[in-house]
Amino acid sequence: MNKWSELRTALHVADLGTVSAAATALGYHRATVNRHIDALEAEIGARIFLRHAKGYTLTEIGEDVLQVARTTKELTDDLAG
């Protein structure tokens, strides 16, 4: 699986708060979003999200990981622009 796709998916979940909203925004099925999150957490070896009945919130490790992902996205966007 593509790590950037997994990180991008995690960014959407973090920004939108739910798997359903991220799936809609990305044009993915909810199961794909869940697979991306599971794969990313397995690769890191830690949970990046706390799951709640009303959505997802970042763990401390998740905040660190997604800050790096945000910076990477900004740099990539700058290069593309």
Side-chain angles (χ1 to χ4, degrees), residues 10-81:
L11 282 170
H12 276 79
V13 172
D15 290 343
L16 300 173
T18 67
V19 168
S20 294
T24 299
L26 292 165
Y28 293 162
H29 190 277
R30 288 185 59 196
T32 301
V33 173
N34 284 324
R35 277 195 306 273
H36 283 194
I37 299 301
D38 290 345
L40 187 57
E41 289 179 335
E43 179 75 22
I44 292 168
R47 290 255 183 227
I48 60 171
F49 288 105
L50 297 173
R51 282 104 169 132
H52 305 285
K54 293 188 178 187
Y56 283 34
T57 57
L58 289 168
T59 63
E60 188 174 327
I61 290 170
E63 290 177 17
D64 292 342
V65 169
L66 292 188
Q67 181 55 47
V68 171
R70 284 186 206 290
T71 302
T72 301
K73 182 182 181 315
E74 290 170 6
L75 291 170
T76 303
D77 289 348
D78 285 349
L79 285 172

